[in-house]
Coordinates of all heavy atoms in Angstrom, one line a residue:
M1 N 14.7 -8.1 -6.3 CA 13.6 -8.6 -5.5 C 12.3 -7.8 -5.7 O 12.3 -6.6 -5.9 CB 14.0 -8.5 -4.0 CG 12.9 -9.0 -3.0 SD 12.4 -10.7 -3.2 CE 13.9 -11.6 -3.0
K2 N 11.2 -8.6 -5.7 CA 9.9 -8.0 -5.9 C 9.1 -8.1 -4.6 O 9.3 -9.1 -3.9 CB 9.1 -8.7 -7.0 CG 9.8 -8.6 -8.3 CD 9.0 -9.5 -9.3 CE 9.7 -9.6 -10.7 NZ 9.0 -10.5 -11.6
R3 N 8.4 -7.0 -4.2 CA 7.6 -7.1 -3.0 C 6.2 -6.5 -3.3 O 6.0 -5.6 -4.1 CB 8.2 -6.2 -2.0 CG 9.5 -6.7 -1.4 CD 10.0 -6.0 -0.2 NE 11.2 -6.6 0.2 CZ 12.3 -6.0 0.6 NH1 12.4 -4.7 0.6 NH2 13.4 -6.6 0.9
I4 N 5.3 -7.1 -2.6 CA 3.9 -6.7 -2.6 C 3.6 -6.3 -1.1 O 3.7 -7.1 -0.2 CB 2.9 -7.8 -3.0 CG1 3.2 -8.2 -4.5 CG2 1.4 -7.2 -2.9 CD1 2.4 -9.4 -4.9
I5 N 3.2 -5.0 -0.9 CA 2.9 -4.5 0.4 C 1.4 -4.1 0.5 O 1.0 -3.3 -0.3 CB 3.8 -3.3 0.7 CG1 5.3 -3.6 0.6 CG2 3.5 -2.8 2.1 CD1 6.2 -2.4 0.6
C6 N 0.7 -4.9 1.3 CA -0.8 -4.7 1.4 C -1.0 -3.8 2.6 O -0.6 -4.1 3.7 CB -1.4 -6.0 1.6 SG -1.1 -7.1 0.2
I7 N -1.8 -2.7 2.4 CA -2.0 -1.7 3.4 C -3.4 -1.6 3.8 O -4.3 -1.7 3.0 CB -1.5 -0.3 2.9 CG1 0.0 -0.4 2.5 CG2 -1.7 0.7 4.0 CD1 0.4 0.8 1.7
G8 N -3.7 -1.4 5.1 CA -5.1 -1.2 5.5 C -5.4 -1.8 6.9 O -4.5 -2.4 7.5
N9 N -6.6 -1.5 7.3 CA -7.0 -2.0 8.7 C -8.0 -3.1 8.5 O -9.2 -2.9 8.0 CB -7.7 -0.8 9.4 CG -8.1 -1.2 10.8 OD1 -8.2 -2.4 11.2 ND2 -8.2 -0.2 11.7
R10 N -7.6 -4.3 8.8 CA -8.5 -5.5 8.6 C -9.8 -5.5 9.4 O -10.7 -6.2 9.2 CB -7.7 -6.8 8.7 CG -7.3 -7.1 10.1 CD -6.6 -8.5 10.2 NE -5.5 -8.7 9.3 CZ -5.5 -9.4 8.2 NH1 -6.6 -10.1 7.9 NH2 -4.4 -9.5 7.4
F11 N -9.8 -4.6 10.4 CA -11.0 -4.5 11.3 C -12.0 -3.5 11.0 O -13.0 -3.3 11.6 CB -10.5 -4.4 12.8 CG -9.6 -5.5 13.2 CD1 -8.2 -5.2 13.4 CD2 -10.0 -6.8 13.4 CE1 -7.4 -6.2 13.8 CE2 -9.2 -7.8 13.7 CZ -7.8 -7.5 13.9
I12 N -11.7 -2.7 9.9 CA -12.6 -1.6 9.5 C -13.1 -1.9 8.1 O -12.3 -1.9 7.1 CB -11.9 -0.2 9.5 CG1 -11.4 0.1 10.9 CG2 -12.9 0.8 9.0 CD1 -12.4 0.4 12.0
Q13 N -14.4 -2.2 7.9 CA -14.9 -2.5 6.6 C -14.7 -1.3 5.7 O -15.0 -0.2 6.2 CB -16.4 -2.9 6.7 CG -16.9 -3.4 5.4 CD -18.4 -3.8 5.5 OE1 -19.0 -3.8 6.5 NE2 -18.9 -4.3 4.4
G14 N -14.2 -1.5 4.6 CA -14.0 -0.4 3.7 C -12.5 0.0 3.7 O -12.0 0.6 2.7
D15 N -11.8 -0.3 4.7 CA -10.3 -0.1 4.8 C -9.6 -1.4 4.8 O -8.4 -1.4 5.1 CB -10.0 0.8 6.0 CG -8.5 1.3 5.9 OD1 -8.1 1.6 4.8 OD2 -7.9 1.4 7.0
D16 N -10.3 -2.5 4.5 CA -9.7 -3.8 4.6 C -9.3 -4.4 3.2 O -9.0 -5.6 3.2 CB -10.6 -4.8 5.3 CG -11.9 -4.9 4.6 OD1 -12.3 -4.2 3.7 OD2 -12.7 -5.8 5.0
A17 N -9.2 -3.6 2.2 CA -8.8 -4.2 0.9 C -7.4 -4.8 0.9 O -7.2 -5.9 0.4 CB -8.9 -3.1 -0.2
G18 N -6.4 -4.0 1.4 CA -5.1 -4.5 1.5 C -5.0 -5.8 2.3 O -4.4 -6.8 1.8
P19 N -5.5 -5.9 3.5 CA -5.4 -7.1 4.3 C -6.1 -8.3 3.6 O -5.7 -9.4 3.7 CB -6.0 -6.8 5.6 CG -5.8 -5.3 5.8 CD -5.9 -4.8 4.4
R20 N -7.2 -8.0 2.9 CA -7.9 -9.1 2.2 C -7.1 -9.7 1.1 O -7.0 -10.9 0.9 CB -9.3 -8.6 1.7 CG -10.3 -8.4 2.9 CD -11.5 -7.8 2.5 NE -12.2 -8.5 1.4 CZ -13.2 -8.0 0.7 NH1 -13.6 -6.8 0.9 NH2 -13.7 -8.8 -0.2
V21 N -6.4 -8.8 0.3 CA -5.5 -9.2 -0.7 C -4.4 -10.0 -0.1 O -4.0 -11.1 -0.7 CB -5.1 -8.1 -1.6 CG1 -4.0 -8.5 -2.5 CG2 -6.2 -7.4 -2.4
F22 N -3.8 -9.5 1.0 CA -2.7 -10.2 1.6 C -3.1 -11.6 2.0 O -2.4 -12.6 1.7 CB -2.3 -9.5 2.9 CG -1.3 -10.2 3.7 CD1 0.1 -10.2 3.4 CD2 -1.7 -10.9 4.8 CE1 1.0 -10.8 4.2 CE2 -0.7 -11.6 5.6 CZ 0.6 -11.6 5.2
D23 N -4.3 -11.8 2.6 CA -4.7 -13.1 3.0 C -4.9 -14.0 1.8 O -4.5 -15.2 1.9 CB -6.1 -13.0 3.8 CG -6.0 -12.3 5.1 OD1 -4.8 -12.2 5.6 OD2 -7.0 -11.9 5.6
R24 N -5.4 -13.5 0.8 CA -5.6 -14.3 -0.4 C -4.3 -14.7 -1.1 O -4.1 -15.9 -1.5 CB -6.5 -13.6 -1.4 CG -6.8 -14.4 -2.7 CD -7.7 -15.5 -2.4 NE -8.0 -16.3 -3.6 CZ -7.8 -17.6 -3.8 NH1 -7.4 -18.3 -2.8 NH2 -8.0 -18.1 -5.0
L25 N -3.4 -13.8 -1.2 CA -2.1 -14.1 -1.7 C -1.3 -15.1 -0.9 O -0.6 -16.0 -1.4 CB -1.2 -12.8 -1.8 CG -1.6 -11.8 -2.9 CD1 -0.8 -10.5 -2.8 CD2 -1.5 -12.4 -4.3
M26 N -1.5 -15.1 0.4 CA -0.9 -16.1 1.3 C -1.5 -17.5 1.0 O -0.8 -18.5 1.2 CB -1.0 -15.7 2.7 CG -0.2 -14.4 3.1 SD 1.5 -14.4 2.6 CE 2.2 -15.5 3.7
E27 N -2.7 -17.5 0.7 CA -3.4 -18.8 0.4 C -2.9 -19.4 -0.9 O -2.8 -20.6 -1.1 CB -4.9 -18.6 0.3 CG -5.6 -18.3 1.5 CD -7.1 -18.0 1.3 OE1 -7.6 -18.2 0.2 OE2 -7.8 -17.7 2.3
I28 N -2.6 -18.6 -1.9 CA -2.3 -19.1 -3.3 C -0.8 -18.9 -3.6 O -0.5 -18.9 -4.8 CB -3.2 -18.4 -4.3 CG1 -2.9 -16.9 -4.4 CG2 -4.6 -18.7 -4.1 CD1 -3.5 -16.2 -5.6
R29 N 0.0 -18.7 -2.6 CA 1.4 -18.4 -2.9 C 2.0 -19.3 -4.0 O 1.9 -20.5 -4.0 CB 2.3 -18.7 -1.7 CG 2.2 -17.6 -0.6 CD 3.2 -17.8 0.4 NE 4.5 -17.3 0.0 CZ 5.1 -16.2 0.4 NH1 4.5 -15.5 1.3 NH2 6.3 -15.9 0.0
A30 N 2.6 -18.7 -5.0 CA 3.2 -19.4 -6.1 C 4.7 -19.5 -5.8 O 5.2 -19.0 -4.8 CB 3.0 -18.6 -7.4
D31 N 5.4 -20.1 -6.7 CA 6.8 -20.3 -6.6 C 7.6 -19.0 -7.1 O 8.8 -19.1 -7.2 CB 7.3 -21.5 -7.4 CG 6.8 -22.8 -6.8 OD1 6.6 -22.8 -5.5 OD2 6.6 -23.7 -7.5
E32 N 6.9 -18.0 -7.3 CA 7.5 -16.7 -7.7 C 8.4 -16.1 -6.6 O 8.0 -16.2 -5.5 CB 6.4 -15.7 -8.1 CG 5.6 -16.0 -9.3 CD 6.4 -15.9 -10.6 OE1 7.2 -15.0 -10.7 OE2 6.1 -16.7 -11.5
P33 N 9.5 -15.5 -7.0 CA 10.3 -14.9 -6.0 C 9.8 -13.5 -5.6 O 10.3 -12.5 -5.9 CB 11.7 -14.7 -6.7 CG 11.3 -14.6 -8.1 CD 10.1 -15.4 -8.3
V34 N 8.6 -13.5 -4.9 CA 7.9 -12.3 -4.5 C 7.7 -12.4 -3.0 O 7.2 -13.4 -2.5 CB 6.6 -12.1 -5.2 CG1 5.8 -10.9 -4.7 CG2 6.7 -12.1 -6.7
E35 N 8.1 -11.3 -2.3 CA 7.9 -11.2 -0.9 C 6.6 -10.5 -0.7 O 6.3 -9.4 -1.3 CB 9.0 -10.4 -0.2 CG 10.3 -11.1 -0.3 CD 11.5 -10.3 0.3 OE1 11.3 -9.1 0.6 OE2 12.6 -10.9 0.5
I36 N 5.7 -11.0 0.2 CA 4.4 -10.4 0.5 C 4.4 -9.9 1.9 O 4.7 -10.7 2.8 CB 3.3 -11.4 0.2 CG1 3.4 -11.9 -1.2 CG2 1.9 -10.8 0.4 CD1 2.6 -13.1 -1.5
Y37 N 4.0 -8.7 2.2 CA 4.0 -8.1 3.5 C 2.6 -7.6 3.8 O 1.9 -6.9 3.0 CB 5.0 -6.9 3.6 CG 6.4 -7.4 3.6 CD1 7.1 -7.5 2.4 CD2 7.0 -7.7 4.8 CE1 8.4 -7.9 2.4 CE2 8.4 -8.1 4.7 CZ 9.0 -8.2 3.5 OH 10.3 -8.6 3.5
D38 N 2.2 -7.7 5.1 CA 1.0 -7.1 5.6 C 1.4 -5.8 6.2 O 2.0 -5.8 7.3 CB 0.3 -8.0 6.6 CG -1.0 -7.4 7.2 OD1 -1.3 -6.2 6.9 OD2 -1.7 -8.1 7.9
G39 N 1.3 -4.7 5.5 CA 1.7 -3.4 6.0 C 0.8 -2.8 7.0 O 1.2 -1.8 7.7
G40 N -0.4 -3.3 7.2 CA -1.3 -2.8 8.2 C -1.4 -1.3 8.1 O -1.7 -0.7 7.1
L41 N -1.2 -0.6 9.2 CA -1.4 0.9 9.3 C 0.0 1.6 9.5 O 0.0 2.6 10.1 CB -2.3 1.2 10.5 CG -3.7 0.6 10.4 CD1 -4.5 0.9 11.6 CD2 -4.4 1.2 9.2
K42 N 1.0 1.0 9.1 CA 2.4 1.5 9.4 C 2.7 2.8 8.7 O 3.6 3.5 9.1 CB 3.4 0.4 9.0 CG 3.3 -0.8 10.0 CD 4.5 -1.7 9.7 CE 4.4 -2.9 10.7 NZ 3.9 -4.1 10.2
G43 N 2.1 3.2 7.6 CA 2.3 4.5 7.0 C 3.8 4.7 6.6 O 4.3 3.9 5.8
L44 N 4.4 5.7 7.1 CA 5.8 6.0 6.7 C 6.8 5.0 7.1 O 7.9 4.9 6.6 CB 6.2 7.4 7.2 CG 5.4 8.6 6.6 CD1 5.8 9.9 7.2 CD2 5.6 8.7 5.1
E45 N 6.4 4.2 8.1 CA 7.3 3.1 8.5 C 7.5 2.1 7.4 O 8.4 1.2 7.4 CB 6.7 2.4 9.7 CG 6.7 3.3 11.0 CD 6.1 2.5 12.1 OE1 6.4 1.3 12.3 OE2 5.3 3.1 12.8
L46 N 6.7 2.1 6.3 CA 6.8 1.2 5.2 C 7.9 1.5 4.3 O 8.3 0.7 3.4 CB 5.5 1.1 4.4 CG 4.3 0.6 5.2 CD1 3.0 0.8 4.4 CD2 4.5 -0.9 5.6
V47 N 8.5 2.7 4.4 CA 9.6 3.1 3.6 C 10.7 2.0 3.5 O 11.3 1.7 2.5 CB 10.2 4.5 4.0 CG1 11.5 4.8 3.3 CG2 9.2 5.6 3.7
W48 N 11.1 1.5 4.6 CA 12.2 0.5 4.7 C 11.9 -0.7 3.8 O 12.8 -1.4 3.3 CB 12.5 0.1 6.1 CG 11.5 -0.8 6.8 CD1 10.5 -0.4 7.5 CD2 11.5 -2.2 6.8 NE1 9.7 -1.5 7.9 CE2 10.4 -2.6 7.5 CE3 12.3 -3.2 6.2 CZ2 10.0 -4.0 7.7 CZ3 12.0 -4.5 6.4 CH2 10.9 -4.9 7.1
L49 N 10.6 -1.1 3.6 CA 10.3 -2.2 2.8 C 10.6 -2.0 1.3 O 10.7 -2.9 0.6 CB 8.8 -2.6 3.0 CG 8.5 -3.3 4.3 CD1 7.0 -3.5 4.4 CD2 9.2 -4.6 4.4
A50 N 10.6 -0.7 0.9 CA 10.8 -0.4 -0.5 C 12.3 -0.4 -0.8 O 12.7 -0.5 -2.0 CB 10.2 0.9 -0.8
E51 N 13.2 -0.2 0.2 CA 14.6 -0.2 -0.1 C 15.1 -1.5 -0.6 O 14.8 -2.5 -0.2 CB 15.3 0.1 1.3 CG 15.5 1.6 1.5 CD 16.5 1.8 2.7 OE1 16.2 1.3 3.8 OE2 17.5 2.5 2.5
G52 N 16.0 -1.3 -1.6 CA 16.7 -2.5 -2.2 C 15.8 -3.4 -3.0 O 16.2 -4.5 -3.3
T53 N 14.7 -2.9 -3.5 CA 13.8 -3.8 -4.3 C 13.8 -3.3 -5.7 O 14.0 -2.1 -6.0 CB 12.4 -3.7 -3.8 OG1 11.9 -2.4 -3.9 CG2 12.2 -4.2 -2.4
G54 N 13.6 -4.2 -6.7 CA 13.5 -3.8 -8.0 C 12.1 -3.4 -8.4 O 11.9 -2.6 -9.3
C55 N 11.1 -3.9 -7.7 CA 9.7 -3.6 -8.0 C 8.9 -3.7 -6.7 O 9.1 -4.7 -5.9 CB 9.2 -4.6 -9.0 SG 7.5 -4.4 -9.4
V56 N 8.1 -2.7 -6.4 CA 7.2 -2.7 -5.2 C 5.8 -2.4 -5.7 O 5.6 -1.5 -6.5 CB 7.6 -1.6 -4.2 CG1 6.6 -1.6 -3.0 CG2 9.0 -1.8 -3.7
V57 N 4.9 -3.3 -5.3 CA 3.5 -3.0 -5.6 C 2.8 -2.8 -4.2 O 2.9 -3.6 -3.3 CB 2.8 -4.3 -6.2 CG1 1.3 -4.1 -6.4 CG2 3.5 -4.5 -7.6
F58 N 2.1 -1.7 -4.1 CA 1.3 -1.3 -2.9 C -0.2 -1.7 -3.2 O -0.7 -1.3 -4.3 CB 1.4 0.1 -2.6 CG 2.8 0.5 -2.1 CD1 3.7 1.1 -2.9 CD2 3.1 0.3 -0.7 CE1 5.0 1.5 -2.5 CE2 4.4 0.7 -0.3 CZ 5.3 1.3 -1.1
V59 N -0.8 -2.4 -2.3 CA -2.2 -2.7 -2.4 C -2.9 -1.9 -1.3 O -2.6 -2.1 -0.1 CB -2.5 -4.2 -2.3 CG1 -4.0 -4.4 -2.4 CG2 -1.8 -4.9 -3.4
D60 N -3.8 -1.0 -1.7 CA -4.5 -0.2 -0.7 C -5.8 0.3 -1.2 O -6.0 0.3 -2.4 CB -3.6 1.0 -0.3 CG -4.0 1.8 1.0 OD1 -4.9 1.3 1.7 OD2 -3.5 2.9 1.2
R61 N -6.6 0.8 -0.3 CA -7.9 1.4 -0.7 C -7.6 2.9 -0.9 O -7.2 3.5 0.0 CB -9.0 1.2 0.4 CG -10.2 2.0 0.1 CD -11.2 1.8 1.2 NE -12.4 2.6 1.1 CZ -12.6 3.6 1.8 NH1 -11.8 4.1 2.7 NH2 -13.7 4.3 1.6
V62 N -7.8 3.4 -2.1 CA -7.6 4.8 -2.4 C -8.9 5.3 -3.0 O -9.4 4.8 -4.0 CB -6.4 5.0 -3.3 CG1 -6.2 6.5 -3.6 CG2 -5.2 4.3 -2.8
E63 N -9.4 6.4 -2.4 CA -10.7 6.9 -2.9 C -10.5 7.9 -4.0 O -9.5 8.5 -4.2 CB -11.4 7.7 -1.7 CG -11.9 6.8 -0.6 CD -12.6 7.6 0.5 OE1 -12.6 8.8 0.4 OE2 -13.1 6.9 1.4
G64 N -11.5 8.0 -4.9 CA -11.6 9.0 -5.9 C -11.0 8.6 -7.3 O -10.9 9.4 -8.1
F65 N -10.7 7.3 -7.5 CA -10.1 6.9 -8.7 C -11.1 6.0 -9.5 O -10.8 5.7 -10.7 CB -8.8 6.2 -8.5 CG -7.7 7.2 -8.0 CD1 -7.4 7.2 -6.7 CD2 -7.0 8.0 -8.9 CE1 -6.4 8.1 -6.2 CE2 -6.1 8.9 -8.5 CZ -5.8 8.9 -7.1
G66 N -12.1 5.5 -8.9 CA -13.0 4.6 -9.5 C -14.2 4.3 -8.7 O -14.3 4.9 -7.5
A67 N -15.1 3.6 -9.1 CA -16.3 3.2 -8.4 C -16.0 2.3 -7.2 O -15.0 1.6 -7.2 CB -17.3 2.5 -9.3
P68 N -16.7 2.4 -6.1 CA -16.5 1.5 -5.0 C -16.4 0.0 -5.4 O -17.2 -0.4 -6.2 CB -17.6 1.7 -4.0 CG -18.1 3.1 -4.4 CD -17.9 3.3 -5.9
G69 N -15.3 -0.6 -5.0 CA -15.1 -2.0 -5.3 C -14.4 -2.3 -6.6 O -13.9 -3.4 -6.9
E70 N -14.2 -1.2 -7.4 CA -13.5 -1.3 -8.7 C -12.0 -1.3 -8.4 O -11.4 -0.6 -7.6 CB -13.8 -0.1 -9.6 CG -13.1 -0.2 -10.9 CD -13.5 1.0 -11.8 OE1 -14.3 1.9 -11.3 OE2 -13.1 1.1 -12.9
V71 N -11.2 -2.2 -9.1 CA -9.8 -2.3 -9.0 C -9.2 -1.4 -10.0 O -9.4 -1.5 -11.2 CB -9.3 -3.7 -9.2 CG1 -7.8 -3.8 -9.1 CG2 -9.8 -4.6 -8.1
V72 N -8.4 -0.4 -9.6 CA -7.8 0.6 -10.5 C -6.3 0.6 -10.2 O -5.9 0.3 -9.1 CB -8.4 2.0 -10.4 CG1 -9.8 2.0 -10.9 CG2 -8.3 2.5 -9.0
T73 N -5.5 1.1 -11.1 CA -4.1 1.3 -10.9 C -3.7 2.7 -11.2 O -3.2 3.0 -12.3 CB -3.2 0.3 -11.7 OG1 -3.6 0.4 -13.1 CG2 -3.4 -1.1 -11.3
P74 N -3.9 3.7 -10.3 CA -3.6 5.0 -10.6 C -2.0 5.2 -10.6 O -1.3 4.4 -10.0 CB -4.2 5.8 -9.4 CG -4.4 4.8 -8.3 CD -4.6 3.5 -9.0
S75 N -1.6 6.2 -11.3 CA -0.1 6.4 -11.4 C 0.4 7.0 -10.1 O -0.4 7.5 -9.3 CB 0.2 7.4 -12.5 OG -0.2 8.7 -12.2
V76 N 1.7 6.9 -9.8 CA 2.3 7.5 -8.6 C 1.9 9.0 -8.6 O 1.6 9.5 -7.6 CB 3.8 7.3 -8.6 CG1 4.4 8.1 -7.5 CG2 4.1 5.8 -8.5
G77 N 2.1 9.7 -9.7 CA 1.8 11.1 -9.8 C 0.3 11.4 -9.4 O 0.1 12.4 -8.7
E78 N -0.6 10.6 -9.9 CA -2.0 10.8 -9.5 C -2.2 10.7 -8.0 O -3.0 11.5 -7.4 CB -2.9 9.8 -10.3 CG -3.0 10.1 -11.8 CD -3.8 9.0 -12.5 OE1 -3.5 7.8 -12.2 OE2 -4.6 9.4 -13.3
I79 N -1.6 9.7 -7.4 CA -1.7 9.5 -6.0 C -1.1 10.6 -5.2 O -1.7 11.2 -4.3 CB -1.2 8.1 -5.5 CG1 -2.0 7.0 -6.2 CG2 -1.2 8.0 -4.0 CD1 -1.4 5.6 -6.0
I80 N 0.1 11.0 -5.6 CA 0.8 12.1 -4.9 C 0.0 13.4 -5.0 O -0.1 14.2 -4.0 CB 2.2 12.3 -5.4 CG1 3.1 11.1 -5.1 CG2 2.9 13.6 -5.0 CD1 4.4 11.1 -5.7
A81 N -0.6 13.7 -6.2 CA -1.4 14.9 -6.4 C -2.5 15.0 -5.4 O -3.0 16.1 -5.1 CB -1.9 14.9 -7.8
R82 N -3.0 13.9 -4.9 CA -4.1 13.9 -3.9 C -3.7 14.6 -2.6 O -4.6 15.1 -1.9 CB -4.5 12.5 -3.6 CG -4.9 11.6 -4.7 CD -6.2 11.9 -5.2 NE -7.2 11.6 -4.2 CZ -8.5 11.6 -4.4 NH1 -9.0 12.1 -5.5 NH2 -9.3 11.3 -3.4
N83 N -2.4 14.8 -2.3 CA -2.0 15.5 -1.1 C -1.6 16.9 -1.4 O -1.1 17.6 -0.5 CB -0.9 14.7 -0.4 CG -0.7 15.2 1.0 OD1 -1.7 15.6 1.7 ND2 0.4 15.1 1.6
D84 N -1.9 17.4 -2.6 CA -1.6 18.8 -2.9 C -2.5 19.8 -2.1 O -2.4 21.0 -2.2 CB -1.7 19.1 -4.4 CG -0.5 18.5 -5.1 OD1 0.5 18.2 -4.5 OD2 -0.6 18.4 -6.4
E85 N -3.5 19.2 -1.4 CA -4.4 20.0 -0.6 C -3.8 20.6 0.7 O -4.4 21.3 1.4 CB -5.7 19.2 -0.3 CG -6.4 18.7 -1.5 CD -7.3 17.5 -1.2 OE1 -7.5 17.2 0.0 OE2 -7.8 16.9 -2.1
G86 N -2.5 20.2 0.9 CA -1.9 20.7 2.1 C -2.3 20.0 3.4 O -2.1 20.6 4.5
R87 N -2.8 18.8 3.3 CA -3.2 18.1 4.5 C -1.9 17.8 5.3 O -0.9 17.5 4.8 CB -3.9 16.8 4.1 CG -5.3 17.0 3.6 CD -6.0 15.7 3.3 NE -5.4 15.2 2.0 CZ -5.0 14.0 1.8 NH1 -5.2 13.1 2.8 NH2 -4.5 13.6 0.7
P88 N -2.0 17.8 6.6 CA -0.9 17.4 7.4 C -0.6 15.9 7.4 O -1.4 15.1 7.0 CB -1.3 17.8 8.9 CG -2.8 17.7 8.8 CD -3.2 18.1 7.4
F89 N 0.7 15.6 7.7 CA 1.0 14.2 7.7 C 0.7 13.7 9.1 O 1.4 14.1 10.1 CB 2.5 14.0 7.4 CG 2.8 14.2 6.0 CD1 3.4 15.4 5.6 CD2 2.5 13.3 5.0 CE1 3.7 15.6 4.2 CE2 2.8 13.5 3.7 CZ 3.4 14.6 3.3
D90 N -0.3 12.9 9.2 CA -0.7 12.4 10.5 C -1.2 10.9 10.4 O -0.8 10.3 9.4 CB -1.8 13.3 11.1 CG -3.1 13.3 10.2 OD1 -3.2 12.5 9.3 OD2 -3.9 14.2 10.5
H91 N -1.9 10.4 11.3 CA -2.4 9.0 11.3 C -3.1 8.7 10.0 O -3.0 7.5 9.6 CB -3.2 8.7 12.5 CG -3.7 7.3 12.6 ND1 -2.9 6.3 12.9 CD2 -4.9 6.8 12.3 CE1 -3.6 5.1 12.8 NE2 -4.8 5.4 12.5
S92 N -3.8 9.6 9.4 CA -4.5 9.3 8.2 C -3.7 9.4 7.0 O -4.2 9.2 5.9 CB -5.8 10.2 8.1 OG -5.3 11.6 8.0
T93 N -2.4 9.7 7.1 CA -1.6 9.8 5.9 C -1.5 8.4 5.2 O -1.2 7.5 5.9 CB -0.2 10.3 6.3 OG1 -0.3 11.6 6.8 CG2 0.7 10.4 5.0
G94 N -1.7 8.4 3.9 CA -1.7 7.2 3.2 C -0.6 7.2 2.2 O 0.5 7.7 2.3
L95 N -0.9 6.5 1.0 CA 0.1 6.4 0.0 C 0.5 7.8 -0.6 O 1.6 8.0 -1.0 CB -0.5 5.6 -1.2 CG -0.4 4.1 -1.0 CD1 -1.1 3.4 -2.1 CD2 1.0 3.6 -0.8
D96 N -0.4 8.8 -0.5 CA -0.1 10.1 -1.0 C 1.0 10.8 -0.2 O 1.7 11.7 -0.6 CB -1.3 11.0 -1.1 CG -2.1 11.1 0.2 OD1 -1.8 10.4 1.2 OD2 -3.0 12.0 0.3
G97 N 1.2 10.3 1.0 CA 2.3 10.8 1.9 C 3.5 9.9 1.8 O 4.6 10.4 1.9
L98 N 3.3 8.6 1.6 CA 4.4 7.7 1.6 C 5.2 7.8 0.3 O 6.5 7.9 0.3 CB 3.9 6.3 1.8 CG 4.9 5.1 1.6 CD1 6.0 5.2 2.7 CD2 4.2 3.8 1.6
L99 N 4.5 7.8 -0.9 CA 5.2 7.8 -2.2 C 6.2 8.9 -2.4 O 7.3 8.7 -2.9 CB 4.2 7.7 -3.3 CG 3.4 6.4 -3.3 CD1 2.3 6.5 -4.4 CD2 4.3 5.2 -3.5
P100 N 5.9 10.2 -2.0 CA 6.9 11.2 -2.2 C 8.2 11.1 -1.4 O 9.2 11.6 -1.8 CB 6.2 12.5 -1.8 CG 4.7 12.2 -1.8 CD 4.6 10.7 -1.5
C101 N 8.1 10.3 -0.3 CA 9.3 10.1 0.5 C 10.2 9.1 0.0 O 11.4 9.1 0.3 CB 8.8 9.7 1.9 SG 7.8 10.9 2.8
L102 N 9.7 8.1 -0.8 CA 10.5 7.0 -1.3 C 11.8 7.5 -2.0 O 12.9 7.0 -1.7 CB 9.7 6.1 -2.1 CG 8.7 5.3 -1.4 CD1 7.9 4.4 -2.3 CD2 9.3 4.5 -0.2
P103 N 11.7 8.4 -3.0 CA 13.0 8.8 -3.7 C 14.0 9.5 -2.8 O 15.2 9.5 -3.0 CB 12.5 9.8 -4.8 CG 11.0 9.6 -4.9 CD 10.5 9.0 -3.6
L104 N 13.5 10.1 -1.7 CA 14.4 10.8 -0.8 C 15.2 9.8 0.1 O 16.3 10.2 0.6 CB 13.6 11.7 0.1 CG 12.7 12.8 -0.6 CD1 11.9 13.5 0.3 CD2 13.7 13.7 -1.4
V105 N 14.7 8.7 0.4 CA 15.3 7.8 1.3 C 15.8 6.4 0.7 O 16.5 5.7 1.3 CB 14.4 7.4 2.5 CG1 14.1 8.7 3.3 CG2 13.1 6.8 2.1
C106 N 15.3 6.1 -0.5 CA 15.7 4.9 -1.2 C 16.7 5.2 -2.3 O 16.5 6.1 -3.0 CB 14.5 4.1 -1.7 SG 13.4 3.6 -0.3

């Protein structure tokens, strides 16, 4: 199974990339066997969506990898390295906190 998980806050401009992609994907749904989820602000609660899948694509706004508005695909390692600053896991924890947990629970 393939899944696309779109992350972000649709009510905050600049954090709405994931929800905007989710809305567009729902409009153009193809016959592909892909599940599309609006992950909102669930953070670590998204771990269960990765379980049992062959492929997971996360769509989120991540700073520091390209110019504003540019679509980039940083590696998992590059995203995880962003949390090497020792930031706590709290409400602002994003993909840099979620991705290291996946191999531990899936």
Side-chain angles (χ1 to χ4, degrees):
M1 178 57 61
K2 299 175 186 176
R3 290 190 179 136
I4 299 173
I5 304 170
C6 302
I7 303 168
N9 185 339
R10 69 176 56 251
F11 303 110
I12 304 290
Q13 185 176 3
D15 192 33
D16 60 348
R20 289 174 54 196
V21 170
F22 173 82
D23 293 344
R24 182 68 180 127
L25 289 173
M26 296 307 288
E27 289 175 7
I28 62 168
R29 283 192 79 107
D31 292 331
E32 293 286 327
V34 176
E35 296 176 349
I36 304 167
Y37 290 90
D38 182 351
L41 300 174
K42 292 186 176 105
L44 293 176
E45 293 177 44
L46 297 172
V47 168
W48 72 270
L49 285 175
E51 270 190 303
T53 61
C55 177
V56 177
V57 173
F58 291 98
V59 178
D60 194 10
R61 173 183 175 253
V62 181
E63 292 181 353
F65 293 99
E70 181 180 2
V71 176
V72 295
T73 54
S75 71
V76 170
E78 289 173 314
I79 294 171
I80 291 172
R82 304 283 294 183
N83 198 26
D84 283 346
E85 303 161 4
R87 288 180 285 133
F89 289 102
D90 58 14
H91 179 71
S92 64
T93 299
L95 283 176
D96 57 349
L98 174 65
L99 293 175
C101 297
L102 292 179
L104 302 173
V105 297
C106 296

